[in-house]
mmCIF file of all heavy atoms in Angstrom:
data_model
loop_
_atom_site.group_PDB
_atom_site.id
_atom_site.type_symbol
_atom_site.label_atom_id
_atom_site.label_comp_id
_atom_site.label_asym_id
_atom_site.label_seq_id
_atom_site.Cartn_x
_atom_site.Cartn_y
_atom_site.Cartn_z
ATOM 1 N N GLY A 1 -15.585 0.061 0.260
ATOM 2 C CA GLY A 1 -16.108 -1.199 -0.262
ATOM 3 C C GLY A 1 -15.036 -2.188 -0.648
ATOM 4 O O GLY A 1 -15.305 -3.174 -1.335
ATOM 5 N N CYS A 2 -13.778 -1.899 -0.232
ATOM 6 C CA CYS A 2 -12.625 -2.777 -0.470
ATOM 7 C C CYS A 2 -12.187 -2.844 -1.925
ATOM 8 O O CYS A 2 -11.534 -3.811 -2.336
ATOM 9 C CB CYS A 2 -12.865 -4.188 0.068
ATOM 10 S SG CYS A 2 -13.051 -4.217 1.858
ATOM 11 N N SER A 3 -12.504 -1.841 -2.703
ATOM 12 C CA SER A 3 -11.972 -1.759 -4.060
ATOM 13 C C SER A 3 -10.555 -1.190 -3.979
ATOM 14 O O SER A 3 -10.330 -0.161 -3.350
ATOM 15 C CB SER A 3 -12.866 -0.851 -4.894
ATOM 16 O OG SER A 3 -12.334 -0.673 -6.175
ATOM 17 N N GLU A 4 -9.614 -1.877 -4.631
ATOM 18 C CA GLU A 4 -8.209 -1.507 -4.522
ATOM 19 C C GLU A 4 -7.725 -0.812 -5.790
ATOM 20 O O GLU A 4 -8.123 -1.177 -6.900
ATOM 21 C CB GLU A 4 -7.359 -2.759 -4.295
ATOM 22 C CG GLU A 4 -7.742 -3.552 -3.054
ATOM 23 C CD GLU A 4 -7.166 -4.955 -3.047
ATOM 24 O OE1 GLU A 4 -6.116 -5.167 -3.679
ATOM 25 O OE2 GLU A 4 -7.771 -5.837 -2.417
ATOM 26 N N ASN A 5 -6.842 0.153 -5.607
ATOM 27 C CA ASN A 5 -6.192 0.809 -6.736
ATOM 28 C C ASN A 5 -4.708 0.956 -6.443
ATOM 29 O O ASN A 5 -4.327 1.210 -5.289
ATOM 30 C CB ASN A 5 -6.800 2.187 -6.990
ATOM 31 C CG ASN A 5 -8.119 2.080 -7.731
ATOM 32 O OD1 ASN A 5 -8.145 1.860 -8.934
ATOM 33 N ND2 ASN A 5 -9.218 2.207 -7.016
ATOM 34 N N TYR A 6 -3.903 0.816 -7.489
ATOM 35 C CA TYR A 6 -2.455 0.860 -7.321
ATOM 36 C C TYR A 6 -1.819 1.757 -8.374
ATOM 37 O O TYR A 6 -2.298 1.843 -9.509
ATOM 38 C CB TYR A 6 -1.859 -0.548 -7.455
ATOM 39 C CG TYR A 6 -2.370 -1.512 -6.420
ATOM 40 C CD1 TYR A 6 -3.468 -2.326 -6.677
ATOM 41 C CD2 TYR A 6 -1.769 -1.590 -5.168
ATOM 42 C CE1 TYR A 6 -3.952 -3.201 -5.713
ATOM 43 C CE2 TYR A 6 -2.235 -2.456 -4.198
ATOM 44 C CZ TYR A 6 -3.332 -3.258 -4.476
ATOM 45 O OH TYR A 6 -3.804 -4.117 -3.520
ATOM 46 N N GLY A 7 -0.717 2.361 -7.978
ATOM 47 C CA GLY A 7 0.079 3.088 -8.951
ATOM 48 C C GLY A 7 0.786 2.092 -9.861
ATOM 49 O O GLY A 7 1.050 0.946 -9.475
ATOM 50 N N ASP A 8 1.117 2.546 -11.047
ATOM 51 C CA ASP A 8 1.736 1.655 -12.028
ATOM 52 C C ASP A 8 3.052 1.065 -11.522
ATOM 53 O O ASP A 8 3.396 -0.075 -11.837
ATOM 54 C CB ASP A 8 1.985 2.412 -13.341
ATOM 55 C CG ASP A 8 0.690 2.701 -14.080
ATOM 56 O OD1 ASP A 8 -0.319 2.021 -13.815
ATOM 57 O OD2 ASP A 8 0.688 3.627 -14.923
ATOM 58 N N SER A 9 3.786 1.825 -10.740
ATOM 59 C CA SER A 9 5.109 1.366 -10.307
ATOM 60 C C SER A 9 5.042 0.251 -9.273
ATOM 61 O O SER A 9 6.036 -0.444 -9.046
ATOM 62 C CB SER A 9 5.914 2.542 -9.757
ATOM 63 O OG SER A 9 5.287 3.057 -8.602
ATOM 64 N N VAL A 10 3.887 0.060 -8.648
ATOM 65 C CA VAL A 10 3.803 -0.951 -7.587
ATOM 66 C C VAL A 10 2.792 -2.045 -7.902
ATOM 67 O O VAL A 10 2.675 -3.016 -7.147
ATOM 68 C CB VAL A 10 3.431 -0.308 -6.231
ATOM 69 C CG1 VAL A 10 4.411 0.808 -5.890
ATOM 70 C CG2 VAL A 10 1.997 0.186 -6.192
ATOM 71 N N LYS A 11 2.099 -1.883 -9.002
ATOM 72 C CA LYS A 11 1.082 -2.875 -9.368
ATOM 73 C C LYS A 11 1.736 -4.253 -9.452
ATOM 74 O O LYS A 11 2.831 -4.404 -9.979
ATOM 75 C CB LYS A 11 0.493 -2.474 -10.726
ATOM 76 C CG LYS A 11 -0.919 -2.939 -10.956
ATOM 77 C CD LYS A 11 -1.501 -2.296 -12.202
ATOM 78 C CE LYS A 11 -1.814 -0.836 -11.960
ATOM 79 N NZ LYS A 11 -2.512 -0.216 -13.116
ATOM 80 N N ASP A 12 1.085 -5.274 -8.963
ATOM 81 C CA ASP A 12 1.562 -6.669 -8.967
ATOM 82 C C ASP A 12 2.654 -6.934 -7.936
ATOM 83 O O ASP A 12 3.130 -8.064 -7.823
ATOM 84 C CB ASP A 12 2.076 -7.095 -10.345
ATOM 85 C CG ASP A 12 0.989 -7.019 -11.404
ATOM 86 O OD1 ASP A 12 -0.178 -7.279 -11.062
ATOM 87 O OD2 ASP A 12 1.311 -6.679 -12.552
ATOM 88 N N ARG A 13 3.065 -5.904 -7.194
ATOM 89 C CA ARG A 13 4.071 -6.127 -6.157
ATOM 90 C C ARG A 13 3.543 -5.779 -4.772
ATOM 91 O O ARG A 13 3.931 -6.382 -3.776
ATOM 92 C CB ARG A 13 5.331 -5.300 -6.437
ATOM 93 C CG ARG A 13 6.061 -5.689 -7.719
ATOM 94 C CD ARG A 13 7.414 -4.986 -7.819
ATOM 95 N NE ARG A 13 7.290 -3.537 -7.845
ATOM 96 C CZ ARG A 13 7.832 -2.733 -6.932
ATOM 97 N NH1 ARG A 13 8.522 -3.229 -5.932
ATOM 98 N NH2 ARG A 13 7.688 -1.419 -7.034
ATOM 99 N N PHE A 14 2.674 -4.782 -4.695
ATOM 100 C CA PHE A 14 2.135 -4.345 -3.409
ATOM 101 C C PHE A 14 0.664 -4.746 -3.310
ATOM 102 O O PHE A 14 -0.047 -4.786 -4.320
ATOM 103 C CB PHE A 14 2.233 -2.823 -3.270
ATOM 104 C CG PHE A 14 3.621 -2.273 -3.122
ATOM 105 C CD1 PHE A 14 4.748 -3.084 -3.247
ATOM 106 C CD2 PHE A 14 3.811 -0.925 -2.849
ATOM 107 C CE1 PHE A 14 6.029 -2.574 -3.112
ATOM 108 C CE2 PHE A 14 5.087 -0.404 -2.703
ATOM 109 C CZ PHE A 14 6.190 -1.217 -2.838
ATOM 110 N N THR A 15 0.221 -5.007 -2.083
ATOM 111 C CA THR A 15 -1.189 -5.315 -1.842
ATOM 112 C C THR A 15 -1.684 -4.531 -0.645
ATOM 113 O O THR A 15 -1.084 -4.593 0.431
ATOM 114 C CB THR A 15 -1.387 -6.819 -1.583
ATOM 115 O OG1 THR A 15 -0.879 -7.573 -2.689
ATOM 116 C CG2 THR A 15 -2.869 -7.136 -1.409
ATOM 117 N N ILE A 16 -2.770 -3.810 -0.838
ATOM 118 C CA ILE A 16 -3.374 -3.041 0.251
ATOM 119 C C ILE A 16 -4.594 -3.806 0.762
ATOM 120 O O ILE A 16 -5.301 -4.469 -0.009
ATOM 121 C CB ILE A 16 -3.768 -1.621 -0.222
ATOM 122 C CG1 ILE A 16 -4.155 -0.739 0.955
ATOM 123 C CG2 ILE A 16 -4.877 -1.663 -1.270
ATOM 124 C CD1 ILE A 16 -4.321 0.739 0.596
ATOM 125 N N SER A 17 -4.810 -3.745 2.062
ATOM 126 C CA SER A 17 -5.984 -4.396 2.644
ATOM 127 C C SER A 17 -6.417 -3.601 3.866
ATOM 128 O O SER A 17 -5.656 -2.788 4.395
ATOM 129 C CB SER A 17 -5.672 -5.845 3.008
ATOM 130 O OG SER A 17 -4.614 -5.919 3.944
ATOM 131 N N ARG A 18 -7.628 -3.864 4.316
ATOM 132 C CA ARG A 18 -8.140 -3.131 5.459
ATOM 133 C C ARG A 18 -8.853 -4.065 6.422
ATOM 134 O O ARG A 18 -9.418 -5.081 6.009
ATOM 135 C CB ARG A 18 -9.075 -2.009 4.993
ATOM 136 C CG ARG A 18 -10.312 -2.482 4.263
ATOM 137 C CD ARG A 18 -11.046 -1.296 3.614
ATOM 138 N NE ARG A 18 -11.570 -0.394 4.629
ATOM 139 C CZ ARG A 18 -11.778 0.913 4.422
ATOM 140 N NH1 ARG A 18 -11.496 1.457 3.247
ATOM 141 N NH2 ARG A 18 -12.275 1.663 5.376
ATOM 142 N N TYR A 19 -8.816 -3.711 7.677
ATOM 143 C CA TYR A 19 -9.489 -4.470 8.729
ATOM 144 C C TYR A 19 -10.258 -3.440 9.555
ATOM 145 O O TYR A 19 -9.742 -2.885 10.521
ATOM 146 C CB TYR A 19 -8.469 -5.227 9.547
ATOM 147 C CG TYR A 19 -9.027 -6.225 10.543
ATOM 148 C CD1 TYR A 19 -8.168 -7.019 11.298
ATOM 149 C CD2 TYR A 19 -10.384 -6.368 10.741
ATOM 150 C CE1 TYR A 19 -8.660 -7.922 12.220
ATOM 151 C CE2 TYR A 19 -10.891 -7.264 11.657
ATOM 152 C CZ TYR A 19 -10.018 -8.050 12.395
ATOM 153 O OH TYR A 19 -10.509 -8.963 13.301
ATOM 154 N N ASN A 20 -11.494 -3.190 9.164
ATOM 155 C CA ASN A 20 -12.265 -2.114 9.769
ATOM 156 C C ASN A 20 -12.445 -2.281 11.278
ATOM 157 O O ASN A 20 -12.443 -1.295 12.019
ATOM 158 C CB ASN A 20 -13.630 -1.998 9.099
ATOM 159 C CG ASN A 20 -13.535 -1.454 7.687
ATOM 160 O OD1 ASN A 20 -12.510 -0.903 7.275
ATOM 161 N ND2 ASN A 20 -14.598 -1.615 6.923
ATOM 162 N N ALA A 21 -12.616 -3.492 11.732
ATOM 163 C CA ALA A 21 -12.857 -3.725 13.161
ATOM 164 C C ALA A 21 -11.690 -3.236 14.014
ATOM 165 O O ALA A 21 -11.864 -2.915 15.199
ATOM 166 C CB ALA A 21 -13.118 -5.200 13.410
ATOM 167 N N LYS A 22 -10.497 -3.205 13.406
ATOM 168 C CA LYS A 22 -9.317 -2.720 14.136
ATOM 169 C C LYS A 22 -8.877 -1.345 13.649
ATOM 170 O O LYS A 22 -7.811 -0.868 14.048
ATOM 171 C CB LYS A 22 -8.157 -3.705 13.976
ATOM 172 C CG LYS A 22 -8.362 -5.016 14.709
ATOM 173 C CD LYS A 22 -7.067 -5.830 14.745
ATOM 174 C CE LYS A 22 -7.231 -7.063 15.626
ATOM 175 N NZ LYS A 22 -5.977 -7.826 15.728
ATOM 176 N N ASN A 23 -9.676 -0.731 12.776
ATOM 177 C CA ASN A 23 -9.318 0.577 12.203
ATOM 178 C C ASN A 23 -7.883 0.565 11.670
ATOM 179 O O ASN A 23 -7.098 1.503 11.913
ATOM 180 C CB ASN A 23 -9.493 1.695 13.230
ATOM 181 C CG ASN A 23 -10.949 1.904 13.594
ATOM 182 O OD1 ASN A 23 -11.831 1.825 12.740
ATOM 183 N ND2 ASN A 23 -11.209 2.151 14.870
ATOM 184 N N THR A 24 -7.564 -0.486 10.969
ATOM 185 C CA THR A 24 -6.196 -0.673 10.491
ATOM 186 C C THR A 24 -6.191 -0.969 8.996
ATOM 187 O O THR A 24 -7.045 -1.702 8.494
ATOM 188 C CB THR A 24 -5.522 -1.832 11.251
ATOM 189 O OG1 THR A 24 -5.507 -1.518 12.639
ATOM 190 C CG2 THR A 24 -4.086 -2.025 10.790
ATOM 191 N N VAL A 25 -5.218 -0.394 8.323
ATOM 192 C CA VAL A 25 -4.997 -0.646 6.902
ATOM 193 C C VAL A 25 -3.572 -1.153 6.744
ATOM 194 O O VAL A 25 -2.650 -0.630 7.382
ATOM 195 C CB VAL A 25 -5.218 0.630 6.077
ATOM 196 C CG1 VAL A 25 -4.986 0.354 4.594
ATOM 197 C CG2 VAL A 25 -6.619 1.170 6.291
ATOM 198 N N TYR A 26 -3.410 -2.151 5.910
ATOM 199 C CA TYR A 26 -2.104 -2.772 5.712
ATOM 200 C C TYR A 26 -1.604 -2.528 4.295
ATOM 201 O O TYR A 26 -2.379 -2.317 3.368
ATOM 202 C CB TYR A 26 -2.198 -4.283 5.943
ATOM 203 C CG TYR A 26 -2.718 -4.657 7.294
ATOM 204 C CD1 TYR A 26 -4.056 -4.993 7.482
ATOM 205 C CD2 TYR A 26 -1.870 -4.684 8.402
ATOM 206 C CE1 TYR A 26 -4.546 -5.341 8.728
ATOM 207 C CE2 TYR A 26 -2.352 -5.027 9.660
ATOM 208 C CZ TYR A 26 -3.692 -5.350 9.810
ATOM 209 O OH TYR A 26 -4.170 -5.691 11.054
ATOM 210 N N LEU A 27 -0.305 -2.585 4.147
ATOM 211 C CA LEU A 27 0.307 -2.563 2.817
ATOM 212 C C LEU A 27 1.401 -3.612 2.796
ATOM 213 O O LEU A 27 2.385 -3.505 3.519
ATOM 214 C CB LEU A 27 0.879 -1.184 2.475
ATOM 215 C CG LEU A 27 1.393 -1.049 1.052
ATOM 216 C CD1 LEU A 27 0.229 -1.117 0.048
ATOM 217 C CD2 LEU A 27 2.157 0.264 0.859
ATOM 218 N N GLN A 28 1.180 -4.650 2.000
ATOM 219 C CA GLN A 28 2.180 -5.687 1.811
ATOM 220 C C GLN A 28 3.083 -5.277 0.657
ATOM 221 O O GLN A 28 2.613 -5.072 -0.466
ATOM 222 C CB GLN A 28 1.499 -7.025 1.503
ATOM 223 C CG GLN A 28 2.444 -8.175 1.239
ATOM 224 C CD GLN A 28 3.216 -8.605 2.475
ATOM 225 O OE1 GLN A 28 2.676 -8.640 3.576
ATOM 226 N NE2 GLN A 28 4.482 -8.938 2.296
ATOM 227 N N LEU A 29 4.352 -5.173 0.949
ATOM 228 C CA LEU A 29 5.335 -4.781 -0.059
ATOM 229 C C LEU A 29 6.158 -6.013 -0.430
ATOM 230 O O LEU A 29 6.831 -6.588 0.424
ATOM 231 C CB LEU A 29 6.285 -3.716 0.478
ATOM 232 C CG LEU A 29 5.806 -2.284 0.663
ATOM 233 C CD1 LEU A 29 4.690 -2.185 1.682
ATOM 234 C CD2 LEU A 29 6.951 -1.387 1.072
ATOM 235 N N ASN A 30 6.099 -6.425 -1.666
ATOM 236 C CA ASN A 30 6.874 -7.564 -2.155
ATOM 237 C C ASN A 30 7.801 -7.114 -3.269
ATOM 238 O O ASN A 30 7.586 -6.086 -3.915
ATOM 239 C CB ASN A 30 5.944 -8.661 -2.679
ATOM 240 C CG ASN A 30 5.092 -9.276 -1.598
ATOM 241 O OD1 ASN A 30 5.499 -9.375 -0.436
ATOM 242 N ND2 ASN A 30 3.884 -9.690 -1.959
ATOM 243 N N SER A 31 8.841 -7.917 -3.504
ATOM 244 C CA SER A 31 9.778 -7.655 -4.602
ATOM 245 C C SER A 31 10.278 -6.218 -4.575
ATOM 246 O O SER A 31 10.268 -5.519 -5.598
ATOM 247 C CB SER A 31 9.099 -7.948 -5.956
ATOM 248 O OG SER A 31 8.633 -9.273 -6.005
ATOM 249 N N LEU A 32 10.707 -5.784 -3.417
ATOM 250 C CA LEU A 32 11.206 -4.418 -3.302
ATOM 251 C C LEU A 32 12.483 -4.289 -4.132
ATOM 252 O O LEU A 32 13.405 -5.087 -4.022
ATOM 253 C CB LEU A 32 11.469 -4.075 -1.842
ATOM 254 C CG LEU A 32 10.196 -3.842 -1.031
ATOM 255 C CD1 LEU A 32 10.471 -3.909 0.452
ATOM 256 C CD2 LEU A 32 9.596 -2.492 -1.390
ATOM 257 N N LYS A 33 12.488 -3.240 -4.966
ATOM 258 C CA LYS A 33 13.595 -3.092 -5.909
ATOM 259 C C LYS A 33 14.522 -1.988 -5.425
ATOM 260 O O LYS A 33 14.400 -1.541 -4.340
ATOM 261 C CB LYS A 33 13.062 -2.651 -7.259
ATOM 262 C CG LYS A 33 11.895 -3.433 -7.787
ATOM 263 C CD LYS A 33 11.478 -2.786 -9.103
ATOM 264 C CE LYS A 33 10.291 -3.463 -9.722
ATOM 265 N NZ LYS A 33 9.880 -2.827 -10.969
ATOM 266 N N HIS A 34 15.362 -1.512 -6.240
ATOM 267 C CA HIS A 34 16.139 -0.296 -6.122
ATOM 268 C C HIS A 34 16.594 0.031 -4.723
ATOM 269 O O HIS A 34 15.783 0.238 -3.825
ATOM 270 C CB HIS A 34 15.348 0.906 -6.643
ATOM 271 C CG HIS A 34 14.734 0.670 -7.994
ATOM 272 N ND1 HIS A 34 15.457 0.219 -9.053
ATOM 273 C CD2 HIS A 34 13.483 0.808 -8.423
ATOM 274 C CE1 HIS A 34 14.661 0.098 -10.098
ATOM 275 N NE2 HIS A 34 13.454 0.450 -9.753
ATOM 276 N N GLU A 35 17.837 0.091 -4.557
ATOM 277 C CA GLU A 35 18.396 0.454 -3.260
ATOM 278 C C GLU A 35 18.084 1.922 -2.991
ATOM 279 O O GLU A 35 18.662 2.808 -3.602
ATOM 280 C CB GLU A 35 19.899 0.194 -3.241
ATOM 281 C CG GLU A 35 20.232 -1.261 -3.514
ATOM 282 C CD GLU A 35 21.472 -1.719 -2.760
ATOM 283 O OE1 GLU A 35 22.109 -0.891 -2.104
ATOM 284 O OE2 GLU A 35 21.802 -2.905 -2.854
ATOM 285 N N LYS A 36 17.174 2.140 -2.075
ATOM 286 C CA LYS A 36 16.750 3.488 -1.743
ATOM 287 C C LYS A 36 16.023 3.445 -0.416
ATOM 288 O O LYS A 36 15.704 2.379 0.088
ATOM 289 C CB LYS A 36 15.810 4.035 -2.826
ATOM 290 C CG LYS A 36 14.595 3.166 -3.081
ATOM 291 C CD LYS A 36 13.772 3.638 -4.267
ATOM 292 C CE LYS A 36 13.017 4.875 -3.925
ATOM 293 N NZ LYS A 36 11.948 5.237 -4.867
ATOM 294 N N THR A 37 15.739 4.626 0.116
ATOM 295 C CA THR A 37 14.987 4.750 1.365
ATOM 296 C C THR A 37 13.795 5.652 1.126
ATOM 297 O O THR A 37 13.952 6.780 0.642
ATOM 298 C CB THR A 37 15.868 5.335 2.482
ATOM 299 O OG1 THR A 37 16.967 4.437 2.719
ATOM 300 C CG2 THR A 37 15.069 5.498 3.757
ATOM 301 N N ASP A 38 12.635 5.141 1.448
ATOM 302 C CA ASP A 38 11.402 5.900 1.323
ATOM 303 C C ASP A 38 10.695 5.923 2.667
ATOM 304 O O ASP A 38 10.890 5.026 3.488
ATOM 305 C CB ASP A 38 10.451 5.250 0.304
ATOM 306 C CG ASP A 38 11.005 5.270 -1.098
ATOM 307 O OD1 ASP A 38 11.578 6.301 -1.497
ATOM 308 O OD2 ASP A 38 10.875 4.246 -1.800
ATOM 309 N N VAL A 39 9.863 6.904 2.851
ATOM 310 C CA VAL A 39 8.990 6.947 4.020
ATOM 311 C C VAL A 39 7.558 6.749 3.543
ATOM 312 O O VAL A 39 7.125 7.416 2.592
ATOM 313 C CB VAL A 39 9.126 8.276 4.788
ATOM 314 C CG1 VAL A 39 8.217 8.260 6.012
ATOM 315 C CG2 VAL A 39 10.571 8.505 5.203
ATOM 316 N N TYR A 40 6.877 5.811 4.173
ATOM 317 C CA TYR A 40 5.496 5.511 3.810
ATOM 318 C C TYR A 40 4.538 6.092 4.844
ATOM 319 O O TYR A 40 4.759 5.958 6.055
ATOM 320 C CB TYR A 40 5.296 3.994 3.702
ATOM 321 C CG TYR A 40 5.898 3.412 2.451
ATOM 322 C CD1 TYR A 40 7.264 3.159 2.367
ATOM 323 C CD2 TYR A 40 5.104 3.134 1.346
ATOM 324 C CE1 TYR A 40 7.823 2.640 1.210
ATOM 325 C CE2 TYR A 40 5.647 2.602 0.182
ATOM 326 C CZ TYR A 40 7.002 2.365 0.124
ATOM 327 O OH TYR A 40 7.549 1.855 -1.031
ATOM 328 N N TYR A 41 3.501 6.704 4.334
ATOM 329 C CA TYR A 41 2.470 7.312 5.169
ATOM 330 C C TYR A 41 1.101 6.771 4.752
ATOM 331 O O TYR A 41 0.913 6.386 3.598
ATOM 332 C CB TYR A 41 2.429 8.826 4.960
ATOM 333 C CG TYR A 41 3.703 9.568 5.257
ATOM 334 C CD1 TYR A 41 4.694 9.707 4.286
ATOM 335 C CD2 TYR A 41 3.909 10.168 6.492
ATOM 336 C CE1 TYR A 41 5.866 10.398 4.550
ATOM 337 C CE2 TYR A 41 5.077 10.875 6.758
ATOM 338 C CZ TYR A 41 6.046 10.979 5.783
ATOM 339 O OH TYR A 41 7.200 11.678 6.041
ATOM 340 N N CYS A 42 0.187 6.807 5.670
ATOM 341 C CA CYS A 42 -1.199 6.553 5.283
ATOM 342 C C CYS A 42 -2.024 7.787 5.625
ATOM 343 O O CYS A 42 -1.656 8.598 6.473
ATOM 344 C CB CYS A 42 -1.765 5.308 5.960
ATOM 345 S SG CYS A 42 -1.884 5.440 7.735
ATOM 346 N N ASN A 43 -3.115 7.915 4.929
ATOM 347 C CA ASN A 43 -4.017 9.049 5.141
ATOM 348 C C ASN A 43 -5.295 8.747 4.382
ATOM 349 O O ASN A 43 -5.396 7.743 3.661
ATOM 350 C CB ASN A 43 -3.379 10.342 4.639
ATOM 351 C CG ASN A 43 -3.882 11.574 5.359
ATOM 352 O OD1 ASN A 43 -5.080 11.776 5.495
ATOM 353 N ND2 ASN A 43 -2.970 12.386 5.852
ATOM 354 N N THR A 44 -6.255 9.618 4.492
ATOM 355 C CA THR A 44 -7.458 9.467 3.689
ATOM 356 C C THR A 44 -7.078 9.554 2.211
ATOM 357 O O THR A 44 -6.096 10.214 1.848
ATOM 358 C CB THR A 44 -8.463 10.565 4.023
ATOM 359 O OG1 THR A 44 -7.800 11.828 3.943
ATOM 360 C CG2 THR A 44 -9.016 10.388 5.424
ATOM 361 N N ARG A 45 -7.826 8.899 1.367
ATOM 362 C CA ARG A 45 -7.542 8.940 -0.069
ATOM 363 C C ARG A 45 -7.839 10.327 -0.624
ATOM 364 O O ARG A 45 -7.146 10.813 -1.525
ATOM 365 C CB ARG A 45 -8.385 7.887 -0.785
ATOM 366 C CG ARG A 45 -8.371 7.970 -2.325
ATOM 367 C CD ARG A 45 -7.006 7.795 -2.882
ATOM 368 N NE ARG A 45 -6.988 7.917 -4.334
ATOM 369 C CZ ARG A 45 -6.779 9.056 -4.976
ATOM 370 N NH1 ARG A 45 -6.592 10.194 -4.309
ATOM 371 N NH2 ARG A 45 -6.766 9.080 -6.290
ATOM 372 N N TRP A 46 -8.855 10.956 -0.125
ATOM 373 C CA TRP A 46 -9.240 12.297 -0.576
ATOM 374 C C TRP A 46 -9.201 13.245 0.626
ATOM 375 O O TRP A 46 -9.358 12.814 1.749
ATOM 376 C CB TRP A 46 -10.667 12.272 -1.152
ATOM 377 C CG TRP A 46 -10.898 11.181 -2.136
ATOM 378 C CD1 TRP A 46 -11.567 10.011 -1.923
ATOM 379 C CD2 TRP A 46 -10.415 11.130 -3.498
ATOM 380 N NE1 TRP A 46 -11.553 9.240 -3.062
ATOM 381 C CE2 TRP A 46 -10.858 9.904 -4.044
ATOM 382 C CE3 TRP A 46 -9.686 11.997 -4.297
ATOM 383 C CZ2 TRP A 46 -10.580 9.532 -5.368
ATOM 384 C CZ3 TRP A 46 -9.416 11.630 -5.598
ATOM 385 C CH2 TRP A 46 -9.854 10.411 -6.117
#
């Protein structure tokens, strides 16, 4: 139903959205901090 939830560390910086017609989910990452390397994955929430 497009209700969004965020972890405390990314709240106000990241935005998740979905486009069902394309079976695609996006994650906009803004104000990336800390020099580090992470790997991002998507999957079902549960």
Side-chain angles (χ1 to χ4, degrees):
C2 296
S3 176
E4 302 164 27
N5 281 283
Y6 299 93
D8 289 340
S9 64
V10 305
K11 207 170 287 186
D12 299 326
R13 296 189 299 120
F14 291 7
T15 303
I16 190 170
S17 60
R18 63 190 294 153
Y19 189 177
N20 289 345
K22 290 191 173 183
N23 293 321
T24 300
V25 180
Y26 303 98
L27 186 68
Q28 178 68 39
L29 286 63
N30 295 328
S31 303
L32 286 163
K33 311 177 181 179
H34 311 308
E35 301 213 355
K36 56 187 287 194
T37 298
D38 295 318
V39 181
Y40 285 80
Y41 301 86
C42 64
N43 207 310
T44 51
R45 170 61 182 91
W46 311 103

